[in-house]
PDB file of all heavy atoms in Angstrom:
ATOM      1  N   ASN A 204      83.696 121.131  63.592  1.00  0.00           N
ATOM      2  CA  ASN A 204      82.658 120.155  63.927  1.00  0.00           C
ATOM      3  C   ASN A 204      83.029 118.800  63.323  1.00  0.00           C
ATOM      4  O   ASN A 204      82.725 118.521  62.159  1.00  0.00           O
ATOM      5  CB  ASN A 204      81.295 120.627  63.405  1.00  0.00           C
ATOM      6  CG  ASN A 204      80.159 119.731  63.878  1.00  0.00           C
ATOM      7  OD1 ASN A 204      80.336 118.912  64.784  1.00  0.00           O
ATOM      8  ND2 ASN A 204      78.993 119.874  63.274  1.00  0.00           N
ATOM      9  N   VAL A 205      83.690 117.986  64.120  1.00  0.00           N
ATOM     10  CA  VAL A 205      84.162 116.680  63.656  1.00  0.00           C
ATOM     11  C   VAL A 205      82.993 115.702  63.625  1.00  0.00           C
ATOM     12  O   VAL A 205      82.240 115.604  64.599  1.00  0.00           O
ATOM     13  CB  VAL A 205      85.278 116.156  64.586  1.00  0.00           C
ATOM     14  CG1 VAL A 205      85.773 114.787  64.106  1.00  0.00           C
ATOM     15  CG2 VAL A 205      86.419 117.155  64.647  1.00  0.00           C
ATOM     16  N   PRO A 206      82.816 114.960  62.533  1.00  0.00           N
ATOM     17  CA  PRO A 206      81.773 113.931  62.508  1.00  0.00           C
ATOM     18  C   PRO A 206      81.939 112.932  63.647  1.00  0.00           C
ATOM     19  O   PRO A 206      83.048 112.689  64.117  1.00  0.00           O
ATOM     20  CB  PRO A 206      81.982 113.257  61.146  1.00  0.00           C
ATOM     21  CG  PRO A 206      82.614 114.319  60.299  1.00  0.00           C
ATOM     22  CD  PRO A 206      83.512 115.076  61.237  1.00  0.00           C
ATOM     23  N   VAL A 207      80.830 112.375  64.095  1.00  0.00           N
ATOM     24  CA  VAL A 207      80.882 111.413  65.203  1.00  0.00           C
ATOM     25  C   VAL A 207      81.126 109.996  64.708  1.00  0.00           C
ATOM     26  O   VAL A 207      81.672 109.159  65.432  1.00  0.00           O
ATOM     27  CB  VAL A 207      79.583 111.453  66.048  1.00  0.00           C
ATOM     28  CG1 VAL A 207      79.475 112.794  66.766  1.00  0.00           C
ATOM     29  CG2 VAL A 207      78.347 111.213  65.175  1.00  0.00           C
ATOM     30  N   GLU A 208      80.727 109.732  63.467  1.00  0.00           N
ATOM     31  CA  GLU A 208      80.899 108.391  62.900  1.00  0.00           C
ATOM     32  C   GLU A 208      81.177 108.473  61.406  1.00  0.00           C
ATOM     33  O   GLU A 208      80.770 109.417  60.734  1.00  0.00           O
ATOM     34  CB  GLU A 208      79.609 107.554  63.072  1.00  0.00           C
ATOM     35  CG  GLU A 208      79.242 107.223  64.504  1.00  0.00           C
ATOM     36  CD  GLU A 208      77.924 106.487  64.599  1.00  0.00           C
ATOM     37  OE1 GLU A 208      77.100 106.605  63.663  1.00  0.00           O
ATOM     38  OE2 GLU A 208      77.708 105.804  65.620  1.00  0.00           O
ATOM     39  N   TYR A 209      81.911 107.473  60.907  1.00  0.00           N
ATOM     40  CA  TYR A 209      81.955 107.234  59.463  1.00  0.00           C
ATOM     41  C   TYR A 209      81.526 105.795  59.239  1.00  0.00           C
ATOM     42  O   TYR A 209      81.462 104.991  60.185  1.00  0.00           O
ATOM     43  CB  TYR A 209      83.343 107.527  58.880  1.00  0.00           C
ATOM     44  CG  TYR A 209      84.400 106.487  59.165  1.00  0.00           C
ATOM     45  CD1 TYR A 209      84.656 105.466  58.245  1.00  0.00           C
ATOM     46  CD2 TYR A 209      85.163 106.533  60.329  1.00  0.00           C
ATOM     47  CE1 TYR A 209      85.632 104.509  58.488  1.00  0.00           C
ATOM     48  CE2 TYR A 209      86.145 105.573  60.576  1.00  0.00           C
ATOM     49  CZ  TYR A 209      86.361 104.578  59.667  1.00  0.00           C
ATOM     50  OH  TYR A 209      87.322 103.630  59.914  1.00  0.00           O
ATOM     51  N   TYR A 210      81.228 105.453  58.003  1.00  0.00           N
ATOM     52  CA  TYR A 210      80.615 104.154  57.726  1.00  0.00           C
ATOM     53  C   TYR A 210      81.346 103.396  56.627  1.00  0.00           C
ATOM     54  O   TYR A 210      81.911 103.991  55.717  1.00  0.00           O
ATOM     55  CB  TYR A 210      79.148 104.340  57.315  1.00  0.00           C
ATOM     56  CG  TYR A 210      78.311 105.042  58.338  1.00  0.00           C
ATOM     57  CD1 TYR A 210      78.246 106.432  58.370  1.00  0.00           C
ATOM     58  CD2 TYR A 210      77.573 104.335  59.292  1.00  0.00           C
ATOM     59  CE1 TYR A 210      77.482 107.106  59.316  1.00  0.00           C
ATOM     60  CE2 TYR A 210      76.798 104.996  60.234  1.00  0.00           C
ATOM     61  CZ  TYR A 210      76.759 106.381  60.253  1.00  0.00           C
ATOM     62  OH  TYR A 210      75.995 107.030  61.193  1.00  0.00           O
ATOM     63  N   THR A 211      81.322 102.086  56.754  1.00  0.00           N
ATOM     64  CA  THR A 211      81.807 101.213  55.688  1.00  0.00           C
ATOM     65  C   THR A 211      80.717 100.213  55.343  1.00  0.00           C
ATOM     66  O   THR A 211      79.866  99.875  56.176  1.00  0.00           O
ATOM     67  CB  THR A 211      83.083 100.447  56.120  1.00  0.00           C
ATOM     68  OG1 THR A 211      82.822  99.744  57.344  1.00  0.00           O
ATOM     69  CG2 THR A 211      84.247 101.413  56.319  1.00  0.00           C
ATOM     70  N   LEU A 212      80.752  99.750  54.110  1.00  0.00           N
ATOM     71  CA  LEU A 212      79.755  98.777  53.652  1.00  0.00           C
ATOM     72  C   LEU A 212      80.171  97.363  54.052  1.00  0.00           C
ATOM     73  O   LEU A 212      81.330  96.989  53.955  1.00  0.00           O
ATOM     74  CB  LEU A 212      79.598  98.849  52.134  1.00  0.00           C
ATOM     75  CG  LEU A 212      78.788 100.036  51.616  1.00  0.00           C
ATOM     76  CD1 LEU A 212      79.021 100.234  50.130  1.00  0.00           C
ATOM     77  CD2 LEU A 212      77.309  99.838  51.898  1.00  0.00           C
ATOM     78  N   LYS A 213      79.190  96.616  54.482  1.00  0.00           N
ATOM     79  CA  LYS A 213      79.405  95.233  54.906  1.00  0.00           C
ATOM     80  C   LYS A 213      78.373  94.357  54.210  1.00  0.00           C
ATOM     81  O   LYS A 213      77.209  94.735  54.086  1.00  0.00           O
ATOM     82  CB  LYS A 213      79.254  95.132  56.422  1.00  0.00           C
ATOM     83  CG  LYS A 213      79.513  93.764  57.005  1.00  0.00           C
ATOM     84  CD  LYS A 213      79.347  93.794  58.521  1.00  0.00           C
ATOM     85  CE  LYS A 213      79.572  92.418  59.133  1.00  0.00           C
ATOM     86  NZ  LYS A 213      79.406  92.435  60.616  1.00  0.00           N
ATOM     87  N   GLN A 214      78.808  93.202  53.756  1.00  0.00           N
ATOM     88  CA  GLN A 214      77.899  92.322  53.013  1.00  0.00           C
ATOM     89  C   GLN A 214      76.886  91.642  53.924  1.00  0.00           C
ATOM     90  O   GLN A 214      77.171  91.281  55.065  1.00  0.00           O
ATOM     91  CB  GLN A 214      78.690  91.242  52.280  1.00  0.00           C
ATOM     92  CG  GLN A 214      79.165  91.699  50.902  1.00  0.00           C
ATOM     93  CD  GLN A 214      79.673  90.536  50.102  1.00  0.00           C
ATOM     94  OE1 GLN A 214      80.525  89.792  50.549  1.00  0.00           O
ATOM     95  NE2 GLN A 214      79.161  90.371  48.894  1.00  0.00           N
ATOM     96  N   TRP A 215      75.671  91.472  53.371  1.00  0.00           N
ATOM     97  CA  TRP A 215      74.669  90.657  54.038  1.00  0.00           C
ATOM     98  C   TRP A 215      75.161  89.201  54.081  1.00  0.00           C
ATOM     99  O   TRP A 215      75.795  88.735  53.147  1.00  0.00           O
ATOM    100  CB  TRP A 215      73.343  90.652  53.267  1.00  0.00           C
ATOM    101  CG  TRP A 215      72.562  91.936  53.309  1.00  0.00           C
ATOM    102  CD1 TRP A 215      72.421  92.847  52.317  1.00  0.00           C
ATOM    103  CD2 TRP A 215      71.791  92.429  54.404  1.00  0.00           C
ATOM    104  NE1 TRP A 215      71.625  93.870  52.705  1.00  0.00           N
ATOM    105  CE2 TRP A 215      71.213  93.649  53.977  1.00  0.00           C
ATOM    106  CE3 TRP A 215      71.523  91.970  55.690  1.00  0.00           C
ATOM    107  CZ2 TRP A 215      70.384  94.410  54.807  1.00  0.00           C
ATOM    108  CZ3 TRP A 215      70.695  92.732  56.516  1.00  0.00           C
ATOM    109  CH2 TRP A 215      70.149  93.924  56.074  1.00  0.00           C
ATOM    110  N   GLN A 216      74.850  88.510  55.159  1.00  0.00           N
ATOM    111  CA  GLN A 216      75.142  87.085  55.241  1.00  0.00           C
ATOM    112  C   GLN A 216      73.884  86.299  54.884  1.00  0.00           C
ATOM    113  O   GLN A 216      72.793  86.615  55.351  1.00  0.00           O
ATOM    114  CB  GLN A 216      75.557  86.708  56.672  1.00  0.00           C
ATOM    115  CG  GLN A 216      77.055  86.760  56.907  1.00  0.00           C
ATOM    116  CD  GLN A 216      77.393  86.169  58.271  1.00  0.00           C
ATOM    117  OE1 GLN A 216      76.777  86.489  59.262  1.00  0.00           O
ATOM    118  NE2 GLN A 216      78.361  85.291  58.302  1.00  0.00           N
ATOM    119  N   SER A 217      74.050  85.283  54.051  1.00  0.00           N
ATOM    120  CA  SER A 217      72.900  84.475  53.673  1.00  0.00           C
ATOM    121  C   SER A 217      72.803  83.237  54.562  1.00  0.00           C
ATOM    122  O   SER A 217      73.816  82.710  55.033  1.00  0.00           O
ATOM    123  CB  SER A 217      73.001  84.050  52.206  1.00  0.00           C
ATOM    124  OG  SER A 217      74.146  83.241  52.016  1.00  0.00           O
ATOM    125  N   HIS A 218      71.586  82.799  54.794  1.00  0.00           N
ATOM    126  CA  HIS A 218      71.330  81.608  55.617  1.00  0.00           C
ATOM    127  C   HIS A 218      70.234  80.788  54.935  1.00  0.00           C
ATOM    128  O   HIS A 218      69.231  81.330  54.488  1.00  0.00           O
ATOM    129  CB  HIS A 218      70.873  82.006  57.025  1.00  0.00           C
ATOM    130  CG  HIS A 218      71.817  82.933  57.730  1.00  0.00           C
ATOM    131  ND1 HIS A 218      72.884  82.503  58.466  1.00  0.00           N
ATOM    132  CD2 HIS A 218      71.853  84.297  57.788  1.00  0.00           C
ATOM    133  CE1 HIS A 218      73.538  83.541  58.959  1.00  0.00           C
ATOM    134  NE2 HIS A 218      72.934  84.637  58.553  1.00  0.00           N
ATOM    135  N   LYS A 219      70.442  79.508  54.869  1.00  0.00           N
ATOM    136  CA  LYS A 219      69.464  78.624  54.255  1.00  0.00           C
ATOM    137  C   LYS A 219      68.190  78.589  55.102  1.00  0.00           C
ATOM    138  O   LYS A 219      68.240  78.488  56.328  1.00  0.00           O
ATOM    139  CB  LYS A 219      70.031  77.216  54.110  1.00  0.00           C
ATOM    140  CG  LYS A 219      69.114  76.274  53.343  1.00  0.00           C
ATOM    141  CD  LYS A 219      69.778  74.900  53.153  1.00  0.00           C
ATOM    142  CE  LYS A 219      68.862  73.968  52.370  1.00  0.00           C
ATOM    143  NZ  LYS A 219      69.496  72.633  52.181  1.00  0.00           N
ATOM    144  N   VAL A 220      67.044  78.708  54.443  1.00  0.00           N
ATOM    145  CA  VAL A 220      65.752  78.709  55.129  1.00  0.00           C
ATOM    146  C   VAL A 220      65.197  77.298  55.256  1.00  0.00           C
ATOM    147  O   VAL A 220      65.205  76.537  54.292  1.00  0.00           O
ATOM    148  CB  VAL A 220      64.743  79.614  54.373  1.00  0.00           C
ATOM    149  CG1 VAL A 220      63.342  79.445  54.971  1.00  0.00           C
ATOM    150  CG2 VAL A 220      65.171  81.046  54.422  1.00  0.00           C
ATOM    151  N   VAL A 221      64.764  76.964  56.453  1.00  0.00           N
ATOM    152  CA  VAL A 221      64.078  75.695  56.701  1.00  0.00           C
ATOM    153  C   VAL A 221      62.599  75.999  56.910  1.00  0.00           C
ATOM    154  O   VAL A 221      62.241  76.825  57.768  1.00  0.00           O
ATOM    155  CB  VAL A 221      64.645  74.985  57.941  1.00  0.00           C
ATOM    156  CG1 VAL A 221      63.876  73.687  58.220  1.00  0.00           C
ATOM    157  CG2 VAL A 221      66.141  74.709  57.756  1.00  0.00           C
ATOM    158  N   ALA A 222      61.741  75.396  56.139  1.00  0.00           N
ATOM    159  CA  ALA A 222      60.308  75.654  56.203  1.00  0.00           C
ATOM    160  C   ALA A 222      59.762  75.432  57.618  1.00  0.00           C
ATOM    161  O   ALA A 222      60.125  74.454  58.288  1.00  0.00           O
ATOM    162  CB  ALA A 222      59.557  74.757  55.223  1.00  0.00           C
ATOM    163  N   ASP A 223      58.940  76.380  58.076  1.00  0.00           N
ATOM    164  CA  ASP A 223      58.238  76.317  59.363  1.00  0.00           C
ATOM    165  C   ASP A 223      59.145  76.444  60.591  1.00  0.00           C
ATOM    166  O   ASP A 223      58.674  76.377  61.723  1.00  0.00           O
ATOM    167  CB  ASP A 223      57.406  75.031  59.486  1.00  0.00           C
ATOM    168  CG  ASP A 223      56.357  74.929  58.393  1.00  0.00           C
ATOM    169  OD1 ASP A 223      55.686  75.955  58.152  1.00  0.00           O
ATOM    170  OD2 ASP A 223      56.212  73.860  57.791  1.00  0.00           O
ATOM    171  N   LYS A 224      60.428  76.643  60.391  1.00  0.00           N
ATOM    172  CA  LYS A 224      61.328  76.823  61.537  1.00  0.00           C
ATOM    173  C   LYS A 224      61.259  78.264  62.013  1.00  0.00           C
ATOM    174  O   LYS A 224      61.283  79.207  61.222  1.00  0.00           O
ATOM    175  CB  LYS A 224      62.763  76.483  61.149  1.00  0.00           C
ATOM    176  CG  LYS A 224      63.768  76.723  62.281  1.00  0.00           C
ATOM    177  CD  LYS A 224      65.193  76.404  61.872  1.00  0.00           C
ATOM    178  CE  LYS A 224      66.165  76.713  63.011  1.00  0.00           C
ATOM    179  NZ  LYS A 224      67.574  76.407  62.635  1.00  0.00           N
TER     180      LYS A 224
END
Side-chain angles (χ1 to χ4, degrees):
N204 187 13
V205 180
V207 293
E208 294 176 337
Y209 75 94
Y210 301 86
T211 55
L212 284 164
K213 182 179 179 181
Q214 273 192 306
W215 289 105
Q216 268 189 312
S217 63
H218 305 273
K219 186 176 181 180
V220 171
V221 178
D223 300 315
K224 177 181 178 180

